[in-house]
Amino acid sequence: MIGDRVAAVLGAKVAGVTALGTGAGGSGVYRVSLLSGETVFAKSYQGEAPGFLAAEAAGLRWLREADGAPVPEVLGECEDLLVTGFITPGRPTPAGAEAFGRELATMHARGAQSFGAAWPGYIGALSMDNTESDDWAAFYTERRVLPYLRAAVRRGALDLDQASLVERVCGRIEELAGPPELPARLHGDLWAGNVQWDVRGRAWLIDPAAHGGHRETDLAMMALFETPLLETTLAAYDEVHPLEDGWRERVALHQLHPLLVHAALFGGSYGEQAVAAARQYL
């Protein structure tokens, strides 16, 4: 029983549990009411990926340390259960989107010691190699693009000729990437569903695939699965942490990773979208 497991992890008495559906990696998600009157969020994972919830917990803690975009507090965890603070859902507002832009810029600027992370990663149900590197071009191609390109080919989402186009872009990443950037503190899977708006219209970050990376990668993910009031958020971001010239022309380059992840997971048109993104740089 979820209630019993949450009670054991928190050392607290549970008053009730409400199932909320399915989360990342097929995990079960729940709203749990404690006898103290507090409400918490619980995620239960019964899959075969070792360290799936541990990676999420590490990412949440690391992002929260930045004091930028708000992140739920990790209240307790074990191998198959993660308990965090509960965010009461609301709707985005222009003021909230502006604040989100400033807070995301602050989080990115807090930085990382390298490209990658000190823990093994996951994005959705797929493992993600976080082996650290000082070279973003090599990190992006070897750990973020090519593994998922190969997985997408195995799934049949791309054929070998299409895959060769992506590989050609990988060979040009360094010249296409724009001015060098220090490692930013990334959410890593920043689509609209992982931005949770609360009752005050404030944006919280959930379900991270956190790592040190290029900050334009988070922004490109926001554009791919468009976050509400995106231009308002980007304008506020740019005021705090100005973006380099030409960043909009590099959006598709940074979208190769999430598109190939989705092609590997779901097939469908995502492989074609990845090829279309690659063609822009050939």
Side-chain angles (χ1 to χ4, degrees):
M1 295 287 291
I2 292 296
D4 293 338
R5 290 161 59 204
V6 171
V9 166
L10 297 184
K13 293 183 178 180
V14 169
V17 176
T18 303
L20 301 177
T22 303
S27 53
V29 294
Y30 306 87
R31 182 176 68 241
V32 181
S33 302
L34 304 182
L35 207 58
S36 63
E38 184 182 0
T39 300
V40 299
F41 177 85
K43 179 179 289 187
S44 174
Y45 178 71
Q46 303 297 323
E48 298 179 355
F52 178 82
L53 292 181
E56 181 174 340
L60 288 170
R61 291 188 176 103
W62 187 63
L63 296 179
R64 190 176 171 87
E65 288 172 0
D67 291 324
V71 177
E73 181 181 2
V74 176
L75 302 174
E77 63 174 305
C78 61
E79 184 176 354
D80 62 353
L81 185 71
L82 174 64
V83 184
T84 68
F86 184 79
I87 303 163
T88 303
R91 295 183 178 182
T93 65
E98 283 188 26
F100 178 41
R102 293 191 294 270
E103 291 163 342
L104 182 64
T106 298
M107 185 184 85
H108 283 172
R110 177 69 183 271
Q113 67 179 9
S114 63
F115 298 109
W119 56 87
Y122 286 89
I123 183 162
L126 299 179
S127 62
M128 189 170 71
D129 185 354
N130 278 341
T131 303
E132 294 177 281
S133 171
D134 294 326
D135 182 340
W136 180 78
F139 173 82
Y140 187 64
T141 56
E142 295 169 11
R143 313 217 200 312
R144 293 296 179 264
V145 176
L146 294 179
Y148 304 101
L149 175 63
R150 291 190 286 267
V153 170
R154 289 194 298 270
R155 186 182 177 92
L158 294 86
D159 62 30
L160 293 178
D161 287 339
Q162 291 173 316
S164 71
L165 299 178
V166 178
E167 290 169 341
R168 285 170 56 193
V169 173
C170 287
R172 299 186 58 214
I173 289 284
E174 195 161 2
E175 66 181 274
L176 295 170
E181 290 262 358
L182 293 172
R185 191 167 300 220
L186 298 191
H187 176 280
D189 191 11
L190 198 52
W191 70 291
N194 286 341
V195 180
Q196 175 70 65
W197 302 86
D198 69 14
V199 290
R200 297 176 297 169
R202 191 181 191 194
W204 291 69
L205 302 184
I206 63 172
D207 293 349
H211 64 278
H214 195 303
R215 62 191 177 124
E216 291 176 13
T217 300
D218 264 356
L219 304 185
M221 185 69 151
M222 292 168 66
L224 182 61
F225 303 101
E226 189 166 335
T227 303
L229 301 169
L230 179 59
E231 289 302 319
T232 300
T233 297
L234 292 174
Y237 181 106
D238 195 47
E239 290 177 4
V240 173
H241 194 1
L243 290 155
E244 296 288 349
D245 290 345
W247 73 270
R248 288 187 185 272
E249 285 69 48
R250 294 187 290 272
V251 166
L253 186 70
H254 291 272
Q255 289 176 344
L256 283 175
H257 169 55
L259 285 170
L260 289 168
V261 166
H262 280 71
L265 283 170
F266 309 116
S269 65
Y270 290 112
E272 295 173 2
Q273 291 181 58
V275 172
R279 287 186 188 278
Q280 296 184 39
Y281 304 101
L282 296 174

